[in-house]
Amino acid sequence: MRELLGTHMDARETWATRIGFILAAVGSAVGLGNIWRFPFLTGESGGAAFLVVYLCLVLLIGIPVLLVEFVIGRRSNRNPIGAFDELNHSQWKIAGVVGAVAGFIILSYYSVVGGWAIQYMLAGLTDGYVAGEGAEAFFAETASGTGAIVFHAVFMTLVGGIVALGVRNGLEKAATVMVPSVVVLLVGLALYGSTLSGASEAYQYYLYPDTSTLLSDAISVLPAAAGQAFFTLSLGMGVMITYASYVGEDRSLLSDTGLIVGIDTAIAILAGLVVFPFLFTQGIAPGDGGPGSIFVSLAGAFAELPAGNLIGTVFFFMLLLAALSSAFSIFEVVVSFVIDRFDIERAPASVGLAVIIFILGIPTALDLTYLELYDMFANEILLILGGLLMSLFIGWVYADNALEEIQKGRSASWFGDFWLTAVRYFVPPVLLITLALAVVGYYEFLQSTFF
Ligand code: PHE
């Protein structure tokens, strides 16, 4: 689009309305990360302590880093690959490369989980949902094996096809119905969950941290919580650079940030309020749910609710829309990178990449261990590294311009100073510590898995 419009900034298209930008950013942020990944990670990481650390990281790291990406995007009017050239700091392109590699890996298994959502959507229309052990058996069948590979292919075809046909915008508009629908469905399910026998135990687990061990728990869950904060807000990959590149200068980046983070976080918290009461009531220890947590617990619920098969189908259809609008944003980063780096046309680049990403994802569709392996590496290491590099760039190399940029569009000036101070002195050390812990954790995970 930029090429057609020429290089003049004022000639470049901007979002027609404030809401257009927010919807696109929310469409990218809200996805499997909130509804699938957040509850299962919280369950594996001990519950409330994880929630506390995650919320602190969203506020103290997520918001500043989101603004870092917004500032880079609006200042450069470019995608993450071109952005650093445009700002005359080409060597920082490495941040874009890290992001593109992360996107490549993430999409390969994101698509597998998207395929699970399709299978669950169809299950409501065919055999219906089953509770109890049947729910666990159904998940095991869905998650790995031929079916998983076939629907991984279906999801990747949808992503590639919709992008190639240029109907992505239309679908993203349709997805605007998705966010409110997901909220309504989750609120309804959470209310239903609150009436179940396992509810009080679940809330205890999910919402009340054990203060005596909070500090040591916090350190042990730090990499996972930081990875989740980045993943759910689509940070560290440059997605938000691209979206902000279309934002007009008259707009306050700060208030948009608040709204995006608020919606994204609320949906994750709600997903936890749904999953844990069901798991406890079904007698599944939260740590044992793993990547199946949301699927097993909800299938159990839909099996018992009146009109459960219909509600379930609608729910998983909404989840599919949410996953698709996030997947487009990841695909976009990877495709732009390949076009830029290898000078290939958009159409062949998209098709070729969709095929390569599909192949890369196959191991994760055969064995959930690989899924965790990909997931930890991409989120806890690559996304954090990408965010660290971008923050260092803005805080230490591009600070004056960044401050000017964030001040545009009615953002209060005290906030700009506050933000920049955080980006210089707070964000990098925290991300560095997180990264070190993540690398050690990953090494241990590899050892325990393969040796
Ligand atoms: N934020 C998306 C989700 O929560 C996933 C995503 C990660 C999208 C990174 C873009 C970049 O599902």
Side-chain angles (χ1 to χ4, degrees):
M1 181 185 328
R2 186 168 188 281
E3 287 64 34
L4 296 177
L5 292 166
T7 45
H8 293 294
M9 226 163 63
D10 52 0
R12 191 168 191 263
E13 199 168 304
T14 54
W15 300 102
T17 53
R18 170 173 183 218
I19 206 77
F21 165 60
I22 290 173
L23 287 175
V26 166
S28 170
V30 174
L32 298 171
N34 311 58
I35 296 167
W36 162 70
R37 197 171 187 273
F38 171 75
F40 109 65
L41 230 58
T42 308
E44 280 191 343
S45 313
F50 181 87
L51 177 66
V52 171
V53 178
Y54 162 77
L55 289 177
C56 290
L57 286 171
V58 164
L59 273 178
L60 301 174
I61 304 284
I63 291 181
V65 175
L66 188 54
L67 281 162
V68 161
E69 293 204 19
F70 282 168
V71 162
I72 296 174
R74 188 166 72 176
R75 188 75 174 186
S76 65
N77 282 313
R78 290 290 208 102
N79 67 41
I81 309 303
F84 296 96
D85 285 336
E86 186 73 27
L87 302 179
N88 295 320
H89 288 280
S90 298
Q91 65 279 30
W92 287 87
K93 245 185 175 170
I94 183 74
V97 177
V98 171
V101 175
F104 197 65
I105 300 174
I106 290 175
L107 191 52
S108 77
Y109 71 85
Y110 201 89
S111 164
V112 171
V113 182
W116 301 349
I118 304 178
Q119 293 186 72
Y120 269 81
M121 179 181 90
L122 298 176
L125 298 172
T126 52
D127 298 338
Y129 301 102
V130 273
E133 276 169 19
E136 289 178 84
F138 185 74
F139 176 72
E141 232 169 78
T142 305
S144 324
T146 319
I149 295 178
V150 169
F151 284 95
H152 164 41
V154 173
F155 188 91
M156 231 19 249
T157 308
L158 285 174
V159 173
I162 290 167
V163 170
L165 291 174
V167 290
R168 177 187 154 176
N169 289 349
L171 205 101
E172 279 189 341
K173 284 210 188 77
T176 57
V177 198
M178 169 274 287
V179 171
S181 319
V182 163
V183 171
V184 169
L185 286 167
L186 287 176
V187 169
L189 287 166
L191 288 175
Y192 171 55
S194 73
T195 64
L196 299 176
S197 60
S200 62
E201 215 187 331
Y203 298 148
Q204 186 66 31
Y205 176 80
Y206 178 44
L207 302 174
Y208 296 95
D210 179 350
T211 42
S212 63
T213 58
L214 189 57
L215 200 66
S216 61
D217 290 347
I219 294 170
S220 68
V221 302
L222 186 65
Q228 174 60 19
F230 270 61
F231 185 82
T232 190
L233 293 171
S234 306
L235 295 179
M237 252 179 62
V239 164
M240 295 300 183
I241 293 182
T242 312
Y243 285 159
S245 70
Y246 299 103
V247 173
E249 307 218 315
D250 54 334
R251 291 251 308 282
S252 156
L253 292 173
L254 177 60
S255 47
D256 291 2
T257 298
L259 202 62
I260 295 160
V261 173
I263 295 174
D264 186 74
T265 308
I267 293 182
I269 293 177
L270 260 174
L273 287 174
V274 171
V275 167
F276 291 113
F278 289 125
L279 283 185
F280 275 89
T281 306
Q282 288 165 27
I284 302 173
D288 293 346
S293 295
I294 183 87
F295 293 99
V296 172
S297 62
L298 282 187
F302 294 138
E304 264 144 38
L305 276 172
N309 287 336
L310 179 68
I311 305 174
T313 300
V314 174
F315 179 85
F316 289 114
F317 176 64
M318 294 302 158
L319 185 62
L320 175 63
L321 287 184
L324 279 173
S325 58
S326 301
F328 294 149
S329 70
I330 306 175
F331 196 55
E332 183 68 41
V333 168
V334 182
V335 171
S336 322
F337 174 75
V338 167
I339 292 176
D340 183 82
R341 180 77 182 67
F342 302 102
D343 208 14
I344 311 177
E345 295 288 312
R346 178 162 279 269
S350 305
V351 175
L353 276 167
V355 172
I356 297 172
I357 290 171
F358 166 69
I359 295 170
L360 183 68
I362 290 177
T364 72
L366 289 172
D367 183 343
L368 290 180
T369 312
Y370 286 103
L371 197 146
E372 272 192 79
L373 215 67
Y374 282 38
D375 178 89
M376 260 177 106
F377 180 66
N379 298 308
E380 294 183 15
I381 297 178
L382 293 181
L383 290 187
I384 301 294
L385 180 61
L388 174 64
L389 291 171
M390 290 190 264
S391 303
L392 287 173
F393 171 69
I394 285 297
W396 294 98
V397 179
Y398 205 67
D400 294 343
N401 294 310
L403 198 58
E404 184 188 289
E405 189 61 43
I406 200 151
Q407 236 69 288
K408 286 178 188 159
R410 306 182 308 271
S411 285
S413 71
W414 65 264
F415 181 79
D417 295 331
F418 182 69
W419 168 72
L420 194 60
T421 308
V423 171
R424 297 185 107 170
Y425 300 105
F426 180 70
V427 173
V430 173
L431 290 184
L432 215 59
I433 294 170
T434 305
L435 198 57
L437 290 171
V439 170
V440 174
Y442 198 66
Y443 178 72
E444 285 170 359
F445 179 64
L446 284 178
Q447 267 198 329
S448 66
T449 318
F450 291 112
F451 304 109

